[in-house]
Amino acid sequence: MFRILRSDYDSYVREGTNVKTETTYGGSETDEPATPEAILTRQPSQDVGDRQNALPTLSHRLRHTSSILAIVLSDEEIFAGTQGGEILVYSLSTFERKAVIEGHRGSVLGLCLSQDAELLFSSAGDRIVNVWNTIDLTRNCCLYSSYDVGDLFCVSYSASLQTAYLGAQNTTIQWCSLKDWVTKSSAPRKEIHPSVRDDRFFDSAGPGGVRTPRRTDADLTPRHARGGDVIQIGKENVEHFAHYGYVYCMQLIKDGVPESAGNEVLITGGGDGVVKLWKLDAKRAGAVEELYSLDDGREEGHSILSIAVDGTFIYSGRSGGEVDVWDTETRQLMRNLKAHRDDVLTICVGGGFMFSAAVTGYVRKFDRQYQLKSRLKAHEGRILASAFTYHRHRPIYVTGGNDCTLGIWDISDCLSPTVTATRTSNEQLFESLRRFVSYRTVSSDPKYQVDCRRGASYLRSVFKNFGAVTEMLTTKDPYNPVLLARFRGNPATAKKRKKILFYGHYDVVAADNATGKWIVDPFAMEGIDGYLYGRGTSDNKGPIMAAVFACAELTSEQALGSDIIFLIEGEEECGSRGFEDAVRASKDKIGQVDWILLANSYWLDDQIPCLTYGLRGVIHASVQIESTHPDLHSGVDGSSQLDEPLKDLVMLLSTLTGRDGQVMIPGFYDPIPQLSSEEEALYRDITAALVQQSPGLGDAASLAASLMRRWRDPTLTIHRFQTSGPDNNATIIPRLAKAVLSMRLVPNQEAGHVSEALVTWLEAQFESLGTNNSLTVTVDHMAEPWLGDWTNEIFKTLEEAVMDVWSPANEPQRRRSSSNSALRSTNGTGPLRVAIPEHTSNGHGSTTKPSPTTSSMLANSGLTSPIQPLTTLLEDTTITPPTKSTKSSASHKRSTSSATLTTATHARHEDSPPRRKPLYIREGGSIPAIRFLEKEFSAPAAHFPCGQASDSAHLDNERLRLVNLYKSKEIFKKVFRELPQK
């Protein structure tokens, strides 16, 4: 008798379900309606109190496009099976999605790792078990049964017997030895292999012998389900009617069952509500033989949907919301917990707690005395899978649901007192940045002045906790203070220690989520899909924290050989108001400086690290024309004799620029140097790398020209107009008209000289208009351009550090085939030379207008949406089945040891390309402080971008990739340690 219908199981994985349990049911989550059925059910233990102790903290949320049905964790990676037949692979360190394996035509229902984590087993609704190599993610073999097994709900693997076990919908347990396997068929017979077998229902003939047409993609093999051996499970390797219901879950254990005599035991749970223990017979290829069953004797027989083992205790999650606790030594039911009000689909044990998760979307945490410690809403839908592990000595709990997300939970703060966990430096960095972002340090709005001071005080406390000497440098009211902090190097070298000045800013631009454009609260940092979302994560709080923690680690290792001086201001987003005066007033406290380093920008795209050696300067000005008469009515007073301020302003502004944006001020372009051959080579590197990465960017020469005009050419931009009178009255002749403009300057242009020339030109052109109106030109803000020496010590140290961290020599590279074609010559003999057009600084000589390549185009060219399907690590690499000669070779008779895998890895390392240098770039934006600091301290500066082009700084959904944060810390660490040795 089957106790649960197939349709009931399908409802668990149905997508688009948003369960709001608190509104659906009154009272607590375990409240049940008083029905006769509930009265007949075993009464729950009275240990499910309402105490809400320490809750797990959501560390990261990973999104996908289909439900997460299975999860398994290795030491460094998350493997998640989806309803779409894919296996997602994420890094446990950075939560980056490393690969998507398109492995099954049906939902992936079960996952299992071998003991050495080198083999991954996946079972699915397509009646197939695939065995994957976890190093290169290729398929080793495919297992299938000659029986019509239906869905394969679960899979386990015995390393000692080298045998895989699977639980099926047709109530069977089947097993297959992988020891000295032999390929049964490279082209499976139609009547046997599930992928080509007719469905008894959908493919059956109807009246008149007519069959329903099959979908055109029905017989397509999933993209990565190729290669390896195809193994048919022998009919003798089947235990029929292992349960009187579907075999939903299984787990292999070695200890905890006295009858096993130290041998492995298979534990299974099924739709009949029974837990069974099976001994494994090594003499019969791992055949199962029932030891005993655990049955609480209830006639209603709620299905066993999940199993977890802790020592001699077996936890079984049941339909109806119950969890049974069995003692394998006495075979007694120790407890029956009414943990949830609906089916418990997954259970984990770890850190001294049992975590149960149900279709309600809630997780409940019980201690070893079965006392409820806390609960939390983990998913907006059903929780279908979970897993627990220790990652670098820190406990991690992972959940997956039909809201198409994975939740990564930090449970270190809710462990039992007997279990200890230490935070790594990266985890402390994450938490410190989260708190730093929570301060609304918006310098442009006076109402956040207190928040700015609190943010500065928090940052100061971080410095002080790591042993830095700190001081707040006051600025003219009402400007925010400058934080001065110093990490001192080795005292024995005090007189000859070098000094590195790190500049940053703790203020941010305003962020408001009233329109709902942010996917998170902008001041409550959240991790999503490997990125940290929040205002200031990229600009500039993340890079600051990375630099602080780099110094802290060097100090703890006693490896800091120089003094690292931090100047962190709070007015950068408002033009660094008060910064220069504060620095000059405290120059004796700051002392000598040998190098200056800042990290306040982004890569050109999302793929290639960069170093910035040039920035444009800026002049912000306003031009106002005013008449002596009041606002007038155009119908009453309008005439050709009337000098209208707005007309005068339009005519005046039209004299500033000519064709193609050429600035008409005399001598404006004269100081600009021509493009040197050395800098031209940098542009060749940039365009070659970008076009190779994203061929859609088009012609390399046009791309180079567009970048030069953004970085090397000065510009003049008119931002907005303002007039007197009401905005919605179209008949008014305004008495006053005002325009706001800016000029971006390039190196060798002095901001003071250019601003004087601007005022002089406007006054002369206004005089020529012969108007009775008055002109006022106001220069509101100036910042000097900056051009660094990319060949000096600090840039070369940064370059080496970037190469060491981002592309170490022993790191295997992803293989590509299609992208490289963009940079090959037409005859295929060598790389294509990028033709750099002759650069003209005076705006003349260009016969065709180049198409501008904007920053958003570059960002989008290398951006892959986090919720779109990706390819595996071996992208564009065709995986072919073994040839006949390969099958007959000795290597075909492989074992599951790591020898073969190690050889494959070594071969890939030998093929790795040389390390890639960062791109040396200039930027069109401006940072007022950098040139000032160079002049004030007579020290060279370098600019190290930490973020990616898609970081959306100053925009909605600002973010910083977690791996960029951690790697930036490593780069700072290398620079702070190695630069003084140059």
Side-chain angles (χ1 to χ4, degrees):
M1 174 180 177
F2 292 0
R3 303 299 179 88
I4 185 167
L5 298 177
R6 167 69 178 169
S7 58
D8 295 332
Y9 179 82
D10 288 339
S11 68
Y12 293 150
V13 299
R14 193 173 299 134
E15 296 185 56
T17 305
N18 288 318
V19 180
K20 298 290 187 181
T21 59
E22 292 300 336
T23 58
T24 305
Y25 295 88
S28 71
E29 190 197 347
T30 57
D31 286 346
E32 293 285 353
T35 63
E37 180 181 0
I39 295 173
L40 292 173
T41 304
R42 183 188 300 272
Q43 293 300 306
S45 301
Q46 299 302 311
D47 56 3
V48 284
D50 294 325
R51 288 193 300 149
Q52 298 292 306
N53 287 358
L55 288 171
T57 301
L58 180 63
S59 178
H60 221 85
R61 181 74 70 180
L62 305 173
R63 301 174 296 175
H64 189 54
T65 55
S66 60
S67 299
I68 307 299
L69 308 183
I71 300 172
V72 68
L73 307 177
S74 68
D75 289 341
E76 295 295 334
E77 291 171 321
I78 302 169
F79 298 92
T82 74
Q83 187 180 5
E86 310 132 318
I87 301 172
L88 313 178
V89 186
Y90 295 93
S91 166
L92 260 177
S93 300
T94 63
F95 308 118
E96 279 192 295
R97 185 153 66 181
K98 302 171 67 175
V100 175
I101 307 172
E102 298 173 14
H104 290 273
R105 292 169 55 194
S107 301
V108 178
L109 303 175
L111 290 175
C112 172
L113 277 171
S114 61
Q115 190 172 0
D116 58 8
E118 292 182 349
L119 294 178
L120 173 68
F121 296 78
S122 60
S123 63
D126 58 3
R127 299 167 284 182
I128 287 174
V129 172
N130 284 322
V131 184
W132 308 91
N133 182 329
T134 58
I135 295 180
D136 58 13
L137 302 184
T138 56
R139 191 173 74 170
N140 276 10
C141 63
C142 164
L143 314 179
Y144 72 95
S145 174
S146 55
Y147 291 101
D148 189 3
V149 296
D151 292 348
L152 298 179
F153 290 110
C154 50
V155 60
S156 289
Y157 177 69
S158 168
S160 60
L161 300 178
Q162 298 185 26
T163 300
Y165 296 86
L166 53 98
Q169 183 181 358
N170 71 342
T171 75
T172 64
I173 296 174
Q174 306 192 23
W175 58 95
C176 180
S177 174
L178 304 187
K179 187 188 305 180
D180 300 327
W181 66 58
V182 178
T183 302
K184 297 296 183 182
S185 174
S186 58
R189 298 196 307 275
K190 185 174 183 179
E191 68 273 16
I192 295 181
H193 195 274
S195 65
V196 293
R197 192 183 299 161
D198 287 341
D199 187 278
R200 292 182 179 180
F201 178 80
F202 293 106
D203 294 322
S204 60
V210 179
R211 292 171 47 139
T212 302
R214 304 186 73 175
R215 289 175 47 181
T216 56
D217 61 347
D219 295 325
L220 293 180
T221 301
R223 179 178 179 184
H224 303 117
R226 301 169 182 157
D229 298 319
V230 180
I231 305 172
Q232 179 186 343
I233 300 174
K235 292 187 176 182
E236 67 278 8
N237 294 347
V238 177
E239 178 71 19
H240 292 283
F241 304 108
H243 285 267
Y244 291 107
Y246 302 163
V247 182
Y248 282 117
C249 49
M250 61 172 49
Q251 187 169 335
L252 276 166
I253 63 171
K254 189 170 184 180
D255 301 316
V257 180
E259 293 83 355
S260 68
N263 297 317
E264 285 182 305
V265 171
L266 180 67
I267 304 175
T268 61
D272 54 2
V274 177
V275 176
K276 291 190 176 184
L277 286 80
W278 310 81
K279 69 178 181 179
L280 311 180
D281 191 342
K283 296 180 181 179
R284 294 194 297 131
V288 300
E289 181 180 342
E290 184 175 349
L291 281 173
Y292 57 86
S293 61
L294 302 174
D295 188 355
D296 60 7
R298 283 182 293 172
E299 292 184 0
E300 66 268 26
H302 288 176
S303 299
I304 306 298
L305 303 176
S306 54
I307 286 176
V309 179
D310 182 23
T312 60
F313 295 96
I314 298 175
Y315 299 83
S316 59
R318 309 173 65 102
S319 57
E322 298 178 12
V323 176
D324 285 344
V325 186
W326 296 92
D327 184 355
T328 59
E329 292 183 318
T330 63
R331 305 186 189 181
Q332 289 182 317
L333 179 64
M334 302 297 295
R335 281 295 179 94
N336 170 255
L337 307 175
K338 183 62 177 177
H340 301 267
R341 62 162 163 255
D342 212 337
D343 301 350
V344 180
L345 295 182
T346 178
I347 292 180
C348 284
V349 176
F353 289 95
M354 184 269 286
F355 298 89
S356 63
V359 298
T360 58
Y362 277 88
V363 171
R364 289 201 150 201
K365 183 184 71 172
F366 295 86
D367 64 14
R368 292 185 184 276
Q369 286 72 45
Y370 314 117
Q371 298 290 325
L372 175 67
K373 306 308 294 184
S374 63
R375 72 168 185 168
L376 75 151
K377 185 68 180 290
H379 290 268
E380 294 297 327
R382 305 172 186 268
I383 302 176
L384 305 173
S386 66
F388 177 92
T389 191
Y390 281 90
H391 177 62
R392 300 178 184 177
H393 309 292
R394 191 163 183 79
I396 298 293
Y397 178 55
V398 183
T399 58
N402 74 334
D403 58 357
C404 307
T405 71
L406 284 156
I408 316 297
W409 304 90
D410 181 356
I411 61 174
S412 58
D413 292 335
C414 56
L415 293 180
S416 60
T418 58
V419 180
T420 59
T422 58
R423 291 180 183 268
T424 66
S425 176
N426 280 346
E427 289 162 344
Q428 293 181 58
L429 170 58
F430 178 92
E431 292 301 326
S432 297
L433 179 57
R434 186 202 296 268
R435 185 171 174 187
F436 196 16
V437 169
S438 70
Y439 294 96
R440 298 174 181 262
T441 54
V442 180
S443 56
S444 61
D445 193 336
K447 73 179 181 181
Y448 294 118
Q449 187 177 35
V450 174
D451 293 81
C452 289
R453 300 300 174 96
R454 288 174 177 166
S457 296
Y458 170 70
L459 180 59
R460 184 181 187 182
S461 70
V462 174
F463 277 111
K464 293 172 70 174
N465 288 340
F466 288 132
V469 178
T470 65
E471 182 177 347
M472 287 291 190
L473 306 183
T474 58
T475 57
K476 185 183 301 183
D477 283 338
Y479 304 145
N480 293 315
V482 177
L483 175 58
L484 170 64
R486 184 189 305 270
F487 286 93
R488 300 189 183 276
N490 187 350
T493 61
K495 293 185 178 180
K496 55 183 180 181
R497 282 201 306 259
K498 298 293 186 179
K499 313 292 191 300
I500 302 173
L501 173 61
F502 181 91
Y503 164 81
H505 64 93
Y506 60 83
D507 64 320
V508 298
V509 297
D512 186 1
N513 200 26
T515 59
K517 292 182 179 180
W518 281 80
I519 62 175
V520 302
D521 179 344
F523 294 100
M525 187 184 83
E526 290 187 28
I528 301 176
D529 299 326
Y531 289 85
L532 306 179
Y533 284 83
R535 176 60 84 220
T537 52
S538 183
D539 182 19
N540 182 233
K541 293 181 176 180
I544 289 173
M545 277 297 176
V548 172
F549 272 77
C551 289
E553 289 185 15
L554 288 172
T555 301
S556 65
E557 298 166 5
Q558 298 183 344
L560 187 60
S562 62
D563 285 355
I564 311 298
I565 305 163
F566 285 79
L567 277 178
I568 313 298
E569 66 159 312
E571 295 285 344
E572 194 272 347
E573 301 295 359
C574 292
S576 295
R577 300 177 301 192
F579 176 72
E580 294 184 6
D581 291 339
V583 170
R584 289 193 180 103
S586 304
K587 195 172 179 180
D588 57 334
K589 299 177 183 177
I590 299 171
Q592 173 194 345
V593 171
D594 297 292
W595 294 287
I596 299 168
L597 178 62
L598 69 158
N600 196 15
S601 62
Y602 327 96
W603 300 350
L604 271 181
D605 66 357
D606 275 16
Q607 307 295 329
I608 310 172
C610 301
L611 294 176
T612 302
Y613 68 93
L615 297 170
R616 293 195 292 191
V618 67
I619 296 173
H620 289 286
S622 59
V623 182
Q624 178 177 301
I625 296 179
E626 187 175 6
S627 68
T628 56
H629 57 70
D631 294 337
L632 301 175
H633 190 283
S634 61
V636 176
D637 297 301
S639 72
S640 59
Q641 291 181 321
L642 181 65
D643 294 327
E644 297 182 14
L646 186 54
K647 283 183 180 178
D648 289 348
L649 181 61
V650 171
M651 288 188 289
L652 179 62
L653 294 179
S654 69
T655 68
L656 286 174
T657 59
R659 182 182 176 87
D660 294 334
Q662 177 189 358
V663 179
M664 304 304 294
I665 298 174
F668 182 74
Y669 294 97
D670 292 348
I672 304 174
Q674 293 295 321
L675 179 68
S676 67
S677 59
E678 292 80 9
E679 190 171 10
E680 181 180 340
L682 299 181
Y683 281 94
R684 295 189 192 281
D685 293 340
I686 294 169
T687 53
L690 291 179
V691 173
Q692 178 182 8
Q693 192 74 33
S694 305
L697 289 174
D699 178 65
S702 298
L703 176 60
S706 179
L707 292 176
M708 283 192 225
R709 281 158 177 76
R710 282 172 46 193
W711 299 346
R712 299 193 79 255
D713 282 5
T715 62
L716 188 149
T717 300
I718 299 172
H719 297 286
R720 62 181 180 272
F721 286 89
Q722 295 174 303
T723 59
S724 60
D727 293 335
N728 58 354
N729 192 331
T731 64
I732 292 295
I733 301 174
R735 66 171 182 82
L736 180 148
K738 181 179 179 180
V740 177
L741 59 86
S742 71
M743 304 178 75
R744 296 289 174 171
L745 311 180
V746 295
N748 282 20
Q749 286 184 310
E750 293 287 341
H753 296 161
V754 175
S755 64
E756 291 177 4
L758 171 66
V759 174
T760 301
W761 173 263
L762 289 173
E763 289 176 346
Q765 297 302 311
F766 182 76
E767 184 68 25
S768 67
L769 296 179
T771 178
N772 292 321
N773 296 324
S774 60
L775 169 70
T776 303
V777 180
T778 304
V779 176
D780 302 303
H781 171 68
M782 293 190 299
E784 297 288 351
W786 167 71
L787 185 65
D789 178 7
W790 68 86
T791 65
N792 65 15
E793 290 178 319
I794 188 168
F795 272 105
K796 291 308 173 187
T797 304
L798 277 166
E799 176 186 299
E800 193 64 29
V802 169
M803 292 170 65
D804 286 345
V805 172
W806 279 107
S807 55
N810 61 345
E811 181 180 83
Q813 302 292 321
R814 295 177 64 177
R815 285 178 257 177
R816 297 181 178 267
S817 60
S818 59
S819 301
N820 293 337
S821 60
L823 288 178
R824 304 300 298 178
S825 62
T826 56
N827 60 8
T829 58
L832 175 69
R833 284 190 58 81
V834 179
I836 303 294
E838 182 180 352
H839 180 62
T840 55
S841 296
N842 58 6
H844 297 289
S846 177
T847 57
T848 59
K849 186 174 182 178
S851 176
T853 303
T854 64
S855 58
S856 60
M857 291 174 60
L858 292 173
N860 293 333
S861 68
L863 178 64
T864 304
S865 172
I867 60 172
Q868 295 299 319
L870 302 176
T871 58
T872 63
L873 293 178
L874 298 183
E875 185 176 85
D876 297 325
T877 300
T878 303
I879 305 174
T880 57
T883 62
K884 185 174 181 181
S885 60
T886 304
K887 294 176 184 177
S888 61
S889 66
S891 62
H892 176 68
K893 296 182 178 180
R894 59 194 107 152
S895 69
T896 55
S897 65
S898 61
T900 303
L901 305 178
T902 304
T903 302
T905 306
H906 178 68
R908 288 192 298 126
H909 286 183
E910 287 182 344
D911 295 337
S912 298
R915 295 189 303 162
R916 181 168 59 187
K917 290 185 178 182
L919 298 178
Y920 281 87
I921 65 172
R922 290 167 69 164
E923 294 186 26
S926 307
I927 298 178
I930 185 169
R931 183 59 183 148
F932 161 74
L933 291 172
E934 271 196 335
K935 289 181 176 180
E936 196 67 26
F937 292 99
S938 301
H943 195 176
F944 163 54
C946 293
Q948 300 170 289
S950 63
D951 279 0
S952 298
H954 290 203
L955 304 177
D956 296 328
N957 295 312
E958 179 180 349
R959 66 183 190 177
L960 177 66
R961 190 168 59 161
L962 187 59
V963 67
N964 282 56
L965 178 69
Y966 293 162
K967 287 186 180 291
S968 294
K969 183 199 71 174
E970 295 301 319
I971 291 170
F972 285 131
K973 191 174 176 181
K974 285 178 175 289
V975 172
F976 292 157
R977 181 177 58 238
E978 297 170 9
L979 181 58
Q981 301 174 9
K982 298 292 184 179

